[in-house]
Amino acid sequence: MKYLTEFRDGELAQKLAAEIRAAVTRPWAIMEVCGGQTHAIIRHGLDQLLPPELELVHGPGCPVCVTPVAAIDRALAVAAAPGVIFCSFGDMLRVPGTREDLFAVKGRGADVRVVYSPLDAVRLAKGNPARQVVFFAIGFETTAPANALAVHQAAQLGLANFSVLVSHVLVPPAMEAILSSPANRVRAFLAAGHVCSVMGYHQYPPLAERYRVPIVVTGFEPLDLLDGIRRAVRQLEAGTHAVENAYPRVVTFDGNRAAQAMLAEVFEVCDRDWRGIGTIPNSGWRLRGGYRRFDAEERFAVGDIRSAESPHCRSGEVLRGTLKPNQCPAFGTTCTPRTPLGATMVSGEGACAAYFNYGRLTAVGTERATCPT
Ligand code: SF4
């Protein structure tokens, strides 16, 4: 535990927070990209240590939250097909599609199983040759290498009864979409440390240069986050826009080359829909030609399903950083973790769930966050 407690030292946290308070001279909005970082910030109350001029804006880095409703609807259709074993991570079971969720389909007798690795799904396919086994492959650059490996392994085993429903998304294009929006208020990013542990951070300098934003690769413990914020504030106050690595114990400039090679072997970049946000060019992965036979969307012909978002859920604004969860009228009333209207209230990394679970329960009306541009 030594390695953990070192990064949760209360005295050091207060010292870092004092340095941040002393450095801030005017309003700034800094976005933490990753939902895991959002949860750590809210859970440890780090935002409450910061000066009022400094606003932390929560980003789109929650894999379950950004999986589009159409992908959920396709998952529901595949899971309901006869003879299918549908495998998913647990969070996905309660994410609402247009009319229902995977739990409802499971309740009607579909064989929906929670797995902890896509390789578990490959093993299931190997052990059940008379059944079709489908894995719901969602998430960012962090989960994608294991999913690519599962497809690669299925190919090597010659499995004809394994497929993946792919809805992978990529972080840098989403950051660019936020920065290029006319509504953007974000002046600096805390980049997601675990994404960078796979991909490195060599893709960020052009983004920092083009939009003149500091980008600090940041970890997930309280001191990691405060250090990331301190570095971002220093740059903002100095008028610089460099990429800094504040997570060197995990992240290198080049990242994990073996994982990147596996990704390039199995996937190719494509445009991708993001739940509540819309289509972002070149922001996702799909199976390459040589692996297209493992595409569940084609195998089960579920590409044309019509989908619709809940008109009451404003998670798109939450994911773009233009609305705080407790500014949503449904927050804590018609929308709770037991009765979620949107994925951001369901997911273990969702911003709405973070606010609800860690006691930010006061609904504060529907006004937008006030940090000036
Ligand atoms: S509180 Fe519920 S309804 Fe509102 S944005 Fe979050 S998930 Fe959607």
Side-chain angles (χ1 to χ4, degrees), residues 108-154:
R108 288 201 300 276
D111 193 348
V112 177
R113 303 188 191 184
V114 172
V115 293
Y116 297 98
S117 157
L119 298 177
D120 292 342
V122 175
R123 276 190 284 277
L124 265 175
K126 201 171 165 213
N128 293 273
R131 308 275 303 274
Q132 283 290 328
V133 175
V134 182
F135 180 72
F136 200 2
I138 67 142
F140 291 93
E141 294 92 330
T142 37
T143 52
N147 295 342
L149 183 64
V151 172
H152 188 255
Q153 202 175 81

Side-chain angles (χ1 to χ4, degrees), residues 312-315 318 325 328 330-331 335 341-345 352:
H312 306 295
C313 179
R314 298 176 64 179
S315 61
V318 172
C328 170
F331 177 82
C335 183
L341 288 180
T344 44
M345 188 59 95
C352 299

Side-chain angles (χ1 to χ4, degrees), residues 50-74:
L50 302 177
E53 297 89 348
L54 187 55
E55 185 189 0
L56 293 182
V57 180
H58 315 311
C62 162
V64 171
C65 307
V66 299
T67 301
V69 70
I72 309 285
D73 287 342
R74 286 195 282 273

Side-chain angles (χ1 to χ4, degrees), residues 2-23:
K2 180 171 177 283
Y3 211 46
L4 256 191
T5 50
E6 274 177 354
F7 291 94
R8 295 182 179 181
D9 183 308
E11 263 181 48
L12 268 178
Q14 290 292 353
K15 202 167 155 249
L16 283 170
E19 281 183 44
I20 294 167
R21 286 195 294 272

